[in-house]
Amino acid sequence: MAISTPRASRRDFIRLTSTMGMAAGFAAALAACGGSSGGSGASGAGSANPDGTITAGISYELGTSGYDPMTTTAGLTVAANWHTLEGLTELDAVSREAYAALGKDLPMKVDDTTYEVALRDGAKFSDGSDVTVEDVVFSFERVLDPANNSLYSQFLTFLESVTAKDDTTVTIKTKHPYSLVAERLSTVKIVPKAVVEADPKAFDMNPIGSGPYKMTDNSAASQTVVFERNDNYNGSHPALAKKMTWQVLPDDTTRTNAITSSTVQAIDTVPATNLSAMTDPVVVSADKGFSLVFVMFNHQGAFADVKARQAIMYALDYEKICTTGMGTLATAATCFVQEEHPAYKKASTVYSYDADKAKSLLAEAGITSIETIATDHGFFSGARPIIKENLEALGVSANFTEKKSKELYDYIKNGDKWDIAIAPGDPSVFGNDADLLMRWWYSADLWANDRMHWKGTEAYTKLQAILDEAVQVEGDAQIAKWQEAFDLIAENVPLYPIFHRTTPTAYNNQTLVSFRSVNYPGLSFVDVGSTQV
């Protein structure tokens, strides 16, 4: 077993070679070799070949939407956009710290509500056209326009305006003092106005950006996404490979075979049951992160009663779900965020398995039946039967149905009868601060209003006030406000994590250079090279 060089992070990390056994041994090694470290560090390969090729197997399917960064939130398309598009700022894949991307420097504070960002000298899009301040203003305006229904607009409620100061600088005005400007600007990717306006549909399927790579093929028929080096890129994170090819491999066995046969150099979401198949030179890194499976409640029916929601949380056998169902690659939630998160504090309400209490609360709430729907994602297939068994043991009529993710959300959208939805989620792909993570589910209309129908309740209104107060302060005061919000969410459980995941990523330690795993969905090959042509 090899342990990576520690990094300044609160995440646990381990690298596993052929000496590892099944998931139980994997978890035991995690416990034995824990510590404060994160990411995989530099791999053992030699120097990158400038004409090298990176190959990967991605568990996320292409889906029905495109790649437009204004609208897409799908795992595959978001990961692709990390490589082809840029914001004024970006977040480091592992540390999640903001750095200047299309901006020459991080936002310069003029006063409490004014910032300026100068564009990187000579920045161009992959089609060779110059990146202009007009493109920057257009990119923000399209996200902020309510008519476009961009989910990213919920992260920008603090913005008053983004305007051109001159030909090279934009001025950012905020509605009030805001402590996360640099982090939040990264959620808006800068796109060429002329190209988007000329043919929005074509742009959606193959966006043009200023990132280190450009997409050259994303064929749904061949289930591949192909990238080439963007020779017009002049930033600080150039492509270290000439080409990348991602194969879309949602099937666990197929994805495992692809990495063990060296068909690809990296895969995400290694199944716990396949860990023993990983042998040298394949290395597995297991990164604890925010990624979770949640319970979401429909507040339009009987589960508008908080006692009913709390009853379900007490009905779940967390130890069995996490240990048996998830192969010990999960940790029961004791807060909205995972224990390794910088803002973590054990919530004032922590749910543990208490069937008698669950039955009592259900009776008080007058619940006689429960309609549950769950996504059929493979990574928690072992946990779903346990959850189903827990609900059926409550002594009420309990129906449990599994659906594909899109079908589940279409079912909810169409107004069909449901009480509980169980699904995975991880907005930490957009950022890791507590404000962003909470606003994703508890502020956005898509979730708070259209799905769980929680918007407008007393708890909803109180939470928004706490979040708005938190972003106007910094340091310990900010963390204290976020922890106040965690307690409110834990007590009211409109949507709440069952567990946070440990996400195993496998990669070839001999052919990938400086590969770093991430603890959220997707694979990042920014600053990664390959010895393989």
Side-chain angles (χ1 to χ4, degrees), residues 111-177:
D111 57 44
D112 284 348
T113 58
T114 308
Y115 294 79
E116 291 180 355
V117 181
L119 294 185
R120 188 173 71 226
D121 295 337
K124 294 180 180 294
F125 292 111
S126 59
D127 65 354
S129 61
D130 292 334
V131 179
T132 68
V133 292
E134 185 180 15
D135 295 318
V136 175
V137 172
F138 170 75
S139 299
F140 276 90
E141 288 181 343
R142 67 196 292 260
V143 170
L144 292 170
D145 185 349
N148 290 329
N149 294 315
S150 175
L151 287 175
Y152 296 94
S153 64
Q154 67 193 295
F155 303 142
L156 304 171
T157 56
F158 67 94
L159 277 182
E160 181 68 40
S161 63
V162 177
T163 58
K165 178 185 179 182
D166 53 39
D167 289 344
T168 61
T169 306
V170 291
T171 298
I172 297 162
K173 293 288 292 184
T174 65
K175 297 175 183 176
H176 49 70

Side-chain angles (χ1 to χ4, degrees), residues 233-298:
Y233 177 79
N234 70 342
S236 57
H237 299 274
L240 300 184
K242 184 177 182 180
K243 182 178 179 180
M244 287 198 300
T245 299
W246 295 2
Q247 295 184 31
V248 180
L249 304 173
D251 180 73
D252 288 347
T253 300
T254 303
R255 199 166 61 259
T256 299
N257 289 341
I259 186 73
T260 56
S261 66
S262 298
T263 302
V264 299
Q265 296 165 287
I267 64 170
D268 67 329
T269 317
V270 183
T273 54
N274 292 344
L275 287 167
S276 61
M278 304 298 148
T279 59
D280 189 64
V282 175
V283 172
V284 176
S285 71
D287 301 304
K288 288 185 176 181
F290 178 75
S291 184
L292 51 78
V293 167
F294 60 77
V295 181
M296 177 173 67
F297 296 96
N298 183 356

Side-chain angles (χ1 to χ4, degrees), residues 70 110 455:
M70 177 185 73
V110 178
K455 184 177 181 179

